[in-house]
Amino acid sequence: MRLFRWVRAAGLILAGLALISECYAAPPGHVVRVGLLYPISADFDPAKNPFDRELVEGLRELGYQPGRDVVFELRSAASVPSRLPGLAAELLAAKVDMVVAPATQPVLAAAAATKTVPIIMVGTSDPVEIGLIASLARPGGNVTGLAVNASETAAKRVELLREAVPGASRIAVLWNSSIRSMSLGFHMIERASPVLGVTLQSVEVSDSAKFDQAFEAIARARPDGLIVLFGPLAGDDLPRIVQFVVKQRLPTIFEVGQGVRGGGLMEFGPSPSRMARRAASYIDRIANGADPGALPVEQPTVFELTINLKAARAMGITIPQLLLLRADKIIE
């Protein structure tokens, strides 16, 4: 918990600095063209997509009217990461004023495509450690936005899984070894596990063809629980993971928005929709001439815990009342 108090405190300080500068901002008097580089298949639809809705609402709070003051140019990789570099180039060819990129891989693709067009990251994992920015306080270059300390968040998932399944001593970690931030997260879990009395099983996946082999390894080891550190590989990867853990009745904790709807036990992490609303402030400040390299990178101060009680019952697990009281969402 001390790690998260520090993260929250740092996030509050940076958010306060950001709010001060926002007080003097307004639509710049010309149409702002915002490129959106999405890793999954999606249309820009604020009525259905929470990320889009919060981004639009955040802009409206700052005085923008979509279609009048700001227009969006969307490119989606449809869960095929290899398409991201080409899509980033398309956005630049469309002469967007800036690029908004949720998740780590789209930001990396955009940053490789341009060193001049501002890039607003939303939920990028450990951007200093992976070389995207110089520091949170002064990122330098053309990348700024909202970042997640994914390594510390990953370690927290070990604690939560142990609380949900108190007898769990053997925990598998299914992680995407092709993404550096996932490697950082796994190594943080490695360091935390001896303190928590946990033996780890590392199950690396670098491409979709290796999932069957990974599932066989987990099934043979029969761990007490599973942590999923997942990055986009292909469109059906996540449903395959969820289907596997449900069939195995394996208590599993996912990142936010990735597992409980299909029958996974828990999710934990920062809220993507909250970060989308904060991203609007970066659009506003950059549209009004701010240098992205001088805009401090924010970290989330609110983390969401979702528990699927229906899945718990199917797995024969009784979630402790104290943990239920801390949950932000409970699926009955």
Side-chain angles (χ1 to χ4, degrees), residues 279-306:
S281 71
Y282 284 91
I283 293 174
D284 176 49
R285 283 175 282 171
I286 291 171
N288 279 282
D291 175 8
L295 290 177
V297 172
E298 295 182 26
Q299 290 186 298
T301 58
V302 178
F303 291 77
E304 293 184 353
L305 171 63
T306 301

PDB file of all heavy atoms in Angstrom, residues 279-306:
ATOM      1  N   ALA A 279      -7.306  13.063 -20.588  1.00  0.00           N
ATOM      2  CA  ALA A 279      -6.596  13.283 -21.848  1.00  0.00           C
ATOM      3  C   ALA A 279      -7.114  14.527 -22.564  1.00  0.00           C
ATOM      4  O   ALA A 279      -6.369  15.177 -23.308  1.00  0.00           O
ATOM      5  CB  ALA A 279      -6.735  12.058 -22.751  1.00  0.00           C
ATOM      6  N   ALA A 280      -8.384  14.861 -22.331  1.00  0.00           N
ATOM      7  CA  ALA A 280      -8.950  16.056 -22.964  1.00  0.00           C
ATOM      8  C   ALA A 280      -8.171  17.310 -22.586  1.00  0.00           C
ATOM      9  O   ALA A 280      -8.015  18.227 -23.395  1.00  0.00           O
ATOM     10  CB  ALA A 280     -10.420  16.204 -22.569  1.00  0.00           C
ATOM     11  N   SER A 281      -7.657  17.362 -21.356  1.00  0.00           N
ATOM     12  CA  SER A 281      -6.912  18.546 -20.928  1.00  0.00           C
ATOM     13  C   SER A 281      -5.615  18.688 -21.714  1.00  0.00           C
ATOM     14  O   SER A 281      -5.156  19.805 -21.988  1.00  0.00           O
ATOM     15  CB  SER A 281      -6.629  18.491 -19.429  1.00  0.00           C
ATOM     16  OG  SER A 281      -5.669  17.492 -19.132  1.00  0.00           O
ATOM     17  N   TYR A 282      -5.011  17.562 -22.081  1.00  0.00           N
ATOM     18  CA  TYR A 282      -3.791  17.624 -22.888  1.00  0.00           C
ATOM     19  C   TYR A 282      -4.095  18.100 -24.303  1.00  0.00           C
ATOM     20  O   TYR A 282      -3.331  18.882 -24.883  1.00  0.00           O
ATOM     21  CB  TYR A 282      -3.110  16.254 -22.913  1.00  0.00           C
ATOM     22  CG  TYR A 282      -2.388  15.921 -21.633  1.00  0.00           C
ATOM     23  CD1 TYR A 282      -3.035  15.245 -20.599  1.00  0.00           C
ATOM     24  CD2 TYR A 282      -1.059  16.292 -21.441  1.00  0.00           C
ATOM     25  CE1 TYR A 282      -2.384  14.941 -19.417  1.00  0.00           C
ATOM     26  CE2 TYR A 282      -0.390  15.995 -20.263  1.00  0.00           C
ATOM     27  CZ  TYR A 282      -1.053  15.319 -19.255  1.00  0.00           C
ATOM     28  OH  TYR A 282      -0.411  15.037 -18.071  1.00  0.00           O
ATOM     29  N   ILE A 283      -5.211  17.621 -24.873  1.00  0.00           N
ATOM     30  CA  ILE A 283      -5.622  18.106 -26.190  1.00  0.00           C
ATOM     31  C   ILE A 283      -5.780  19.621 -26.157  1.00  0.00           C
ATOM     32  O   ILE A 283      -5.292  20.346 -27.029  1.00  0.00           O
ATOM     33  CB  ILE A 283      -6.944  17.434 -26.628  1.00  0.00           C
ATOM     34  CG1 ILE A 283      -6.732  15.945 -26.869  1.00  0.00           C
ATOM     35  CG2 ILE A 283      -7.508  18.107 -27.885  1.00  0.00           C
ATOM     36  CD1 ILE A 283      -8.003  15.178 -27.171  1.00  0.00           C
ATOM     37  N   ASP A 284      -6.460  20.115 -25.118  1.00  0.00           N
ATOM     38  CA  ASP A 284      -6.729  21.546 -24.986  1.00  0.00           C
ATOM     39  C   ASP A 284      -5.438  22.345 -24.877  1.00  0.00           C
ATOM     40  O   ASP A 284      -5.232  23.336 -25.587  1.00  0.00           O
ATOM     41  CB  ASP A 284      -7.616  21.764 -23.754  1.00  0.00           C
ATOM     42  CG  ASP A 284      -7.861  23.232 -23.478  1.00  0.00           C
ATOM     43  OD1 ASP A 284      -8.227  23.947 -24.428  1.00  0.00           O
ATOM     44  OD2 ASP A 284      -7.674  23.655 -22.329  1.00  0.00           O
ATOM     45  N   ARG A 285      -4.539  21.931 -24.003  1.00  0.00           N
ATOM     46  CA  ARG A 285      -3.322  22.705 -23.786  1.00  0.00           C
ATOM     47  C   ARG A 285      -2.408  22.696 -25.011  1.00  0.00           C
ATOM     48  O   ARG A 285      -1.830  23.725 -25.381  1.00  0.00           O
ATOM     49  CB  ARG A 285      -2.590  22.174 -22.550  1.00  0.00           C
ATOM     50  CG  ARG A 285      -3.241  22.623 -21.244  1.00  0.00           C
ATOM     51  CD  ARG A 285      -2.586  21.983 -20.047  1.00  0.00           C
ATOM     52  NE  ARG A 285      -3.036  20.615 -19.868  1.00  0.00           N
ATOM     53  CZ  ARG A 285      -2.496  19.755 -19.008  1.00  0.00           C
ATOM     54  NH1 ARG A 285      -1.454  20.121 -18.274  1.00  0.00           N
ATOM     55  NH2 ARG A 285      -2.967  18.535 -18.888  1.00  0.00           N
ATOM     56  N   ILE A 286      -2.301  21.545 -25.658  1.00  0.00           N
ATOM     57  CA  ILE A 286      -1.464  21.483 -26.859  1.00  0.00           C
ATOM     58  C   ILE A 286      -2.089  22.287 -27.991  1.00  0.00           C
ATOM     59  O   ILE A 286      -1.386  22.987 -28.737  1.00  0.00           O
ATOM     60  CB  ILE A 286      -1.236  20.014 -27.260  1.00  0.00           C
ATOM     61  CG1 ILE A 286      -0.344  19.334 -26.206  1.00  0.00           C
ATOM     62  CG2 ILE A 286      -0.601  19.909 -28.640  1.00  0.00           C
ATOM     63  CD1 ILE A 286      -0.226  17.835 -26.368  1.00  0.00           C
ATOM     64  N   ALA A 287      -3.423  22.232 -28.121  1.00  0.00           N
ATOM     65  CA  ALA A 287      -4.099  23.031 -29.139  1.00  0.00           C
ATOM     66  C   ALA A 287      -3.871  24.516 -28.932  1.00  0.00           C
ATOM     67  O   ALA A 287      -3.866  25.300 -29.889  1.00  0.00           O
ATOM     68  CB  ALA A 287      -5.599  22.726 -29.136  1.00  0.00           C
ATOM     69  N   ASN A 288      -3.659  24.909 -27.683  1.00  0.00           N
ATOM     70  CA  ASN A 288      -3.416  26.313 -27.367  1.00  0.00           C
ATOM     71  C   ASN A 288      -1.933  26.662 -27.325  1.00  0.00           C
ATOM     72  O   ASN A 288      -1.556  27.719 -26.826  1.00  0.00           O
ATOM     73  CB  ASN A 288      -4.077  26.662 -26.032  1.00  0.00           C
ATOM     74  CG  ASN A 288      -5.562  26.936 -26.187  1.00  0.00           C
ATOM     75  OD1 ASN A 288      -5.951  28.006 -26.625  1.00  0.00           O
ATOM     76  ND2 ASN A 288      -6.381  25.953 -25.858  1.00  0.00           N
ATOM     77  N   GLY A 289      -1.102  25.784 -27.845  1.00  0.00           N
ATOM     78  CA  GLY A 289       0.297  26.120 -28.029  1.00  0.00           C
ATOM     79  C   GLY A 289       1.272  25.571 -27.017  1.00  0.00           C
ATOM     80  O   GLY A 289       2.465  25.873 -27.086  1.00  0.00           O
ATOM     81  N   ALA A 290       0.814  24.761 -26.062  1.00  0.00           N
ATOM     82  CA  ALA A 290       1.738  24.207 -25.065  1.00  0.00           C
ATOM     83  C   ALA A 290       2.711  23.232 -25.712  1.00  0.00           C
ATOM     84  O   ALA A 290       2.371  22.513 -26.654  1.00  0.00           O
ATOM     85  CB  ALA A 290       0.957  23.516 -23.947  1.00  0.00           C
ATOM     86  N   ASP A 291       3.918  23.215 -25.203  1.00  0.00           N
ATOM     87  CA  ASP A 291       4.950  22.291 -25.660  1.00  0.00           C
ATOM     88  C   ASP A 291       4.741  20.948 -24.960  1.00  0.00           C
ATOM     89  O   ASP A 291       4.831  20.869 -23.733  1.00  0.00           O
ATOM     90  CB  ASP A 291       6.328  22.862 -25.308  1.00  0.00           C
ATOM     91  CG  ASP A 291       7.463  21.901 -25.633  1.00  0.00           C
ATOM     92  OD1 ASP A 291       7.219  20.858 -26.259  1.00  0.00           O
ATOM     93  OD2 ASP A 291       8.608  22.210 -25.237  1.00  0.00           O
ATOM     94  N   PRO A 292       4.445  19.872 -25.702  1.00  0.00           N
ATOM     95  CA  PRO A 292       4.209  18.583 -25.035  1.00  0.00           C
ATOM     96  C   PRO A 292       5.383  18.120 -24.193  1.00  0.00           C
ATOM     97  O   PRO A 292       5.208  17.474 -23.158  1.00  0.00           O
ATOM     98  CB  PRO A 292       3.940  17.620 -26.203  1.00  0.00           C
ATOM     99  CG  PRO A 292       4.482  18.299 -27.413  1.00  0.00           C
ATOM    100  CD  PRO A 292       4.342  19.762 -27.162  1.00  0.00           C
ATOM    101  N   GLY A 293       6.601  18.473 -24.610  1.00  0.00           N
ATOM    102  CA  GLY A 293       7.773  18.060 -23.856  1.00  0.00           C
ATOM    103  C   GLY A 293       7.891  18.700 -22.497  1.00  0.00           C
ATOM    104  O   GLY A 293       8.641  18.231 -21.642  1.00  0.00           O
ATOM    105  N   ALA A 294       7.136  19.790 -22.285  1.00  0.00           N
ATOM    106  CA  ALA A 294       7.173  20.496 -20.996  1.00  0.00           C
ATOM    107  C   ALA A 294       5.935  20.219 -20.158  1.00  0.00           C
ATOM    108  O   ALA A 294       5.826  20.726 -19.032  1.00  0.00           O
ATOM    109  CB  ALA A 294       7.307  21.997 -21.229  1.00  0.00           C
ATOM    110  N   LEU A 295       4.996  19.435 -20.661  1.00  0.00           N
ATOM    111  CA  LEU A 295       3.777  19.121 -19.909  1.00  0.00           C
ATOM    112  C   LEU A 295       4.013  17.880 -19.050  1.00  0.00           C
ATOM    113  O   LEU A 295       4.279  16.796 -19.583  1.00  0.00           O
ATOM    114  CB  LEU A 295       2.602  18.864 -20.856  1.00  0.00           C
ATOM    115  CG  LEU A 295       2.044  20.063 -21.621  1.00  0.00           C
ATOM    116  CD1 LEU A 295       0.932  19.613 -22.570  1.00  0.00           C
ATOM    117  CD2 LEU A 295       1.517  21.122 -20.657  1.00  0.00           C
ATOM    118  N   PRO A 296       3.908  17.987 -17.727  1.00  0.00           N
ATOM    119  CA  PRO A 296       4.138  16.816 -16.872  1.00  0.00           C
ATOM    120  C   PRO A 296       3.201  15.665 -17.202  1.00  0.00           C
ATOM    121  O   PRO A 296       2.028  15.870 -17.524  1.00  0.00           O
ATOM    122  CB  PRO A 296       3.861  17.353 -15.462  1.00  0.00           C
ATOM    123  CG  PRO A 296       4.061  18.828 -15.566  1.00  0.00           C
ATOM    124  CD  PRO A 296       3.621  19.202 -16.945  1.00  0.00           C
ATOM    125  N   VAL A 297       3.723  14.474 -17.130  1.00  0.00           N
ATOM    126  CA  VAL A 297       2.933  13.263 -17.336  1.00  0.00           C
ATOM    127  C   VAL A 297       2.211  12.925 -16.039  1.00  0.00           C
ATOM    128  O   VAL A 297       2.815  12.910 -14.964  1.00  0.00           O
ATOM    129  CB  VAL A 297       3.833  12.097 -17.776  1.00  0.00           C
ATOM    130  CG1 VAL A 297       3.054  10.784 -17.795  1.00  0.00           C
ATOM    131  CG2 VAL A 297       4.435  12.387 -19.144  1.00  0.00           C
ATOM    132  N   GLU A 298       0.922  12.665 -16.138  1.00  0.00           N
ATOM    133  CA  GLU A 298       0.124  12.310 -14.965  1.00  0.00           C
ATOM    134  C   GLU A 298       0.077  10.799 -14.786  1.00  0.00           C
ATOM    135  O   GLU A 298       0.152  10.035 -15.755  1.00  0.00           O
ATOM    136  CB  GLU A 298      -1.302  12.840 -15.106  1.00  0.00           C
ATOM    137  CG  GLU A 298      -1.416  14.350 -15.119  1.00  0.00           C
ATOM    138  CD  GLU A 298      -2.874  14.801 -15.213  1.00  0.00           C
ATOM    139  OE1 GLU A 298      -3.760  14.037 -14.785  1.00  0.00           O
ATOM    140  OE2 GLU A 298      -3.112  15.894 -15.735  1.00  0.00           O
ATOM    141  N   GLN A 299      -0.090  10.382 -13.537  1.00  0.00           N
ATOM    142  CA  GLN A 299      -0.372   8.991 -13.224  1.00  0.00           C
ATOM    143  C   GLN A 299      -1.721   8.905 -12.534  1.00  0.00           C
ATOM    144  O   GLN A 299      -2.123   9.841 -11.823  1.00  0.00           O
ATOM    145  CB  GLN A 299       0.710   8.404 -12.325  1.00  0.00           C
ATOM    146  CG  GLN A 299       2.044   8.225 -13.033  1.00  0.00           C
ATOM    147  CD  GLN A 299       3.058   7.518 -12.163  1.00  0.00           C
ATOM    148  OE1 GLN A 299       3.425   8.005 -11.109  1.00  0.00           O
ATOM    149  NE2 GLN A 299       3.521   6.364 -12.611  1.00  0.00           N
ATOM    150  N   PRO A 300      -2.470   7.822 -12.742  1.00  0.00           N
ATOM    151  CA  PRO A 300      -3.801   7.727 -12.150  1.00  0.00           C
ATOM    152  C   PRO A 300      -3.754   7.699 -10.630  1.00  0.00           C
ATOM    153  O   PRO A 300      -2.829   7.139 -10.035  1.00  0.00           O
ATOM    154  CB  PRO A 300      -4.347   6.402 -12.710  1.00  0.00           C
ATOM    155  CG  PRO A 300      -3.129   5.628 -13.092  1.00  0.00           C
ATOM    156  CD  PRO A 300      -2.114   6.628 -13.517  1.00  0.00           C
ATOM    157  N   THR A 301      -4.752   8.318 -10.030  1.00  0.00           N
ATOM    158  CA  THR A 301      -4.863   8.320  -8.571  1.00  0.00           C
ATOM    159  C   THR A 301      -5.967   7.391  -8.090  1.00  0.00           C
ATOM    160  O   THR A 301      -6.097   7.143  -6.894  1.00  0.00           O
ATOM    161  CB  THR A 301      -5.161   9.744  -8.059  1.00  0.00           C
ATOM    162  OG1 THR A 301      -6.368  10.218  -8.660  1.00  0.00           O
ATOM    163  CG2 THR A 301      -4.020  10.687  -8.416  1.00  0.00           C
ATOM    164  N   VAL A 302      -6.780   6.882  -9.018  1.00  0.00           N
ATOM    165  CA  VAL A 302      -7.886   5.998  -8.668  1.00  0.00           C
ATOM    166  C   VAL A 302      -7.689   4.653  -9.375  1.00  0.00           C
ATOM    167  O   VAL A 302      -7.485   4.607 -10.595  1.00  0.00           O
ATOM    168  CB  VAL A 302      -9.242   6.605  -9.081  1.00  0.00           C
ATOM    169  CG1 VAL A 302     -10.375   5.636  -8.759  1.00  0.00           C
ATOM    170  CG2 VAL A 302      -9.462   7.936  -8.371  1.00  0.00           C
ATOM    171  N   PHE A 303      -7.734   3.578  -8.597  1.00  0.00           N
ATOM    172  CA  PHE A 303      -7.616   2.227  -9.138  1.00  0.00           C
ATOM    173  C   PHE A 303      -8.915   1.478  -8.837  1.00  0.00           C
ATOM    174  O   PHE A 303      -9.479   1.608  -7.751  1.00  0.00           O
ATOM    175  CB  PHE A 303      -6.424   1.503  -8.520  1.00  0.00           C
ATOM    176  CG  PHE A 303      -5.096   2.055  -8.945  1.00  0.00           C
ATOM    177  CD1 PHE A 303      -4.617   3.237  -8.395  1.00  0.00           C
ATOM    178  CD2 PHE A 303      -4.350   1.419  -9.910  1.00  0.00           C
ATOM    179  CE1 PHE A 303      -3.410   3.761  -8.797  1.00  0.00           C
ATOM    180  CE2 PHE A 303      -3.126   1.939 -10.323  1.00  0.00           C
ATOM    181  CZ  PHE A 303      -2.658   3.112  -9.767  1.00  0.00           C
ATOM    182  N   GLU A 304      -9.373   0.697  -9.809  1.00  0.00           N
ATOM    183  CA  GLU A 304     -10.654   0.006  -9.678  1.00  0.00           C
ATOM    184  C   GLU A 304     -10.446  -1.494  -9.466  1.00  0.00           C
ATOM    185  O   GLU A 304      -9.626  -2.108 -10.152  1.00  0.00           O
ATOM    186  CB  GLU A 304     -11.507   0.229 -10.927  1.00  0.00           C
ATOM    187  CG  GLU A 304     -11.960   1.664 -11.117  1.00  0.00           C
ATOM    188  CD  GLU A 304     -12.871   1.827 -12.314  1.00  0.00           C
ATOM    189  OE1 GLU A 304     -13.044   0.840 -13.082  1.00  0.00           O
ATOM    190  OE2 GLU A 304     -13.414   2.927 -12.494  1.00  0.00           O
ATOM    191  N   LEU A 305     -11.210  -2.026  -8.531  1.00  0.00           N
ATOM    192  CA  LEU A 305     -11.218  -3.470  -8.280  1.00  0.00           C
ATOM    193  C   LEU A 305     -12.613  -3.998  -8.589  1.00  0.00           C
ATOM    194  O   LEU A 305     -13.603  -3.514  -8.043  1.00  0.00           O
ATOM    195  CB  LEU A 305     -10.857  -3.759  -6.825  1.00  0.00           C
ATOM    196  CG  LEU A 305     -11.028  -5.213  -6.360  1.00  0.00           C
ATOM    197  CD1 LEU A 305     -10.109  -6.148  -7.126  1.00  0.00           C
ATOM    198  CD2 LEU A 305     -10.775  -5.324  -4.848  1.00  0.00           C
ATOM    199  N   THR A 306     -12.688  -4.970  -9.482  1.00  0.00           N
ATOM    200  CA  THR A 306     -13.956  -5.615  -9.833  1.00  0.00           C
ATOM    201  C   THR A 306     -13.874  -7.084  -9.444  1.00  0.00           C
ATOM    202  O   THR A 306     -12.883  -7.759  -9.733  1.00  0.00           O
ATOM    203  CB  THR A 306     -14.248  -5.504 -11.337  1.00  0.00           C
ATOM    204  OG1 THR A 306     -14.302  -4.130 -11.703  1.00  0.00           O
ATOM    205  CG2 THR A 306     -15.579  -6.162 -11.682  1.00  0.00           C
TER     206      THR A 306
END
